[in-house]
Amino acid sequence: ARLRDHSSSTMLTTCYRMNADLCQWSSEQFYHGDLKADPANASRRLSLPNQTLEAPKALLPEPPSVRIELDHDENRTVSSEEADLVSRLVNAWLAAGVSPKEIGVVVPYRRQANRIRQRLRVSMQAPAKISRAITVDTVERFQGSEREVMILSFTASDARFIANQAAFLFQPQRLNVAATRSRSKRVLLISKTMTQVAEQFAGNGNQDAAVFLSLLQDTSIVDTPTF
């Protein structure tokens, strides 16, 4: 950003990763609407070879971007509730035929990454190499990678902690990286408390929180899956 302010730059306007639906939010928020999905991947959708009729909406190819709001409180850098749901979602996608190498989970804190890896190891009725094939990591370590389906676990639900960490949790650059790793499907897991804090900050003129809130508003809310 500093170099851009002191020199000329050239923007690459074609996205070869995300489908058009996933590309839209990032394009509007960060690239003046100029970033477009290449025709080869614009209509790309998640393939579920073993899909069942009763599959929860959160798992399905449509809509490509969904969010699930959870009722948990007083969590800071780790949330067992979100880790458990990540585990259930991942196992359901594996059962539906998604390759473990095409599933990724991005989190703000290393403690949450460790908790999710632990849940996956315990829950999977499969060789350990399958759980290791699923990448679970922080935004910083996930930068540059991509997966067919991505889960974003925002983790925190302690209002005071979220307010104190707002500059980190709502930072647009980190949010842009997290939201643009998926090719076909993006699932946001977020506490209702974090949504409320974002709304309060945005209402008070915090631009970072407004960008964060725009991602939530651009994403279809679905019920918490029961499986």
Side-chain angles (χ1 to χ4, degrees):
R2 182 174 297 180
L3 289 173
R4 185 178 64 240
D5 291 340
H6 293 85
S7 65
S8 60
S9 62
T10 299
M11 177 182 165
L12 304 179
T13 58
T14 303
C15 174
Y16 297 97
R17 175 189 301 137
M18 298 174 283
N19 63 37
D21 294 78
L22 297 178
C23 183
Q24 183 176 355
W25 172 79
S26 184
S27 178
E28 292 177 352
Q29 290 296 323
F30 298 96
Y31 306 109
H32 310 290
D34 294 331
L35 183 67
K36 304 296 182 184
D38 184 78
N41 51 275
S43 59
R44 185 185 185 103
R45 290 296 183 269
L46 180 64
S47 175
L48 300 176
N50 306 327
Q51 177 183 331
T52 59
L53 293 176
E54 66 273 13
K57 192 172 184 178
L59 299 171
L60 300 178
E62 294 284 357
S65 183
V66 300
R67 85 178 189 270
I68 302 170
E69 291 198 345
L70 295 95
D71 275 319
H72 61 80
D73 296 299
E74 300 182 358
N75 288 326
R76 296 187 173 187
T77 60
V78 62
S79 166
S80 293
E81 296 86 352
E82 291 188 20
D84 288 342
L85 182 53
V86 168
S87 176
R88 296 199 301 272
L89 289 169
V90 167
N91 277 291
W93 271 313
L94 293 175
V98 180
S99 167
K101 294 181 179 179
E102 293 299 343
I103 302 174
V105 186
V106 65
V107 298
Y109 302 107
R110 284 177 290 180
R111 285 190 65 201
Q112 181 68 353
N114 291 334
R115 180 64 56 86
I116 291 172
R117 293 189 198 106
Q118 179 188 48
R119 289 289 194 273
L120 289 174
R121 286 194 298 268
V122 170
S123 68
M124 282 186 176
Q125 303 298 318
K129 65 180 181 180
I130 293 182
S131 64
R132 289 197 297 268
I134 300 165
T135 303
V136 183
D137 226 322
T138 60
V139 176
E140 291 77 12
R141 292 178 64 87
F142 225 109
Q143 189 165 355
S145 298
E146 61 184 60
R147 296 292 186 275
E148 198 67 24
V149 56
M150 287 292 304
I151 303 173
L152 283 63
S153 171
F154 289 107
T155 308
S157 59
D158 181 305
R160 182 173 295 181
F161 176 81
I162 295 169
N164 290 335
Q165 292 271 297
F168 171 73
L169 290 170
F170 300 150
Q171 185 186 48
Q173 292 84 354
R174 295 179 71 261
L175 185 63
N176 189 30
V177 171
T180 57
R181 300 304 94 199
S182 50
R183 303 189 198 104
S184 299
K185 184 77 176 186
R186 179 175 64 209
V187 179
L188 314 182
L189 307 185
I190 186 169
S191 68
K192 293 182 178 180
T193 302
M194 193 166 186
T195 299
Q196 292 166 358
V197 174
E199 291 171 342
Q200 292 169 2
F201 271 62
N204 291 330
N206 185 296
Q207 291 302 306
D208 289 359
V211 173
F212 183 90
L213 196 60
S214 73
L215 176 61
L216 303 186
Q217 294 169 341
D218 190 63
T219 302
S220 301
I221 189 166
V222 296
D223 294 333
T224 303
T226 54
F227 44 57

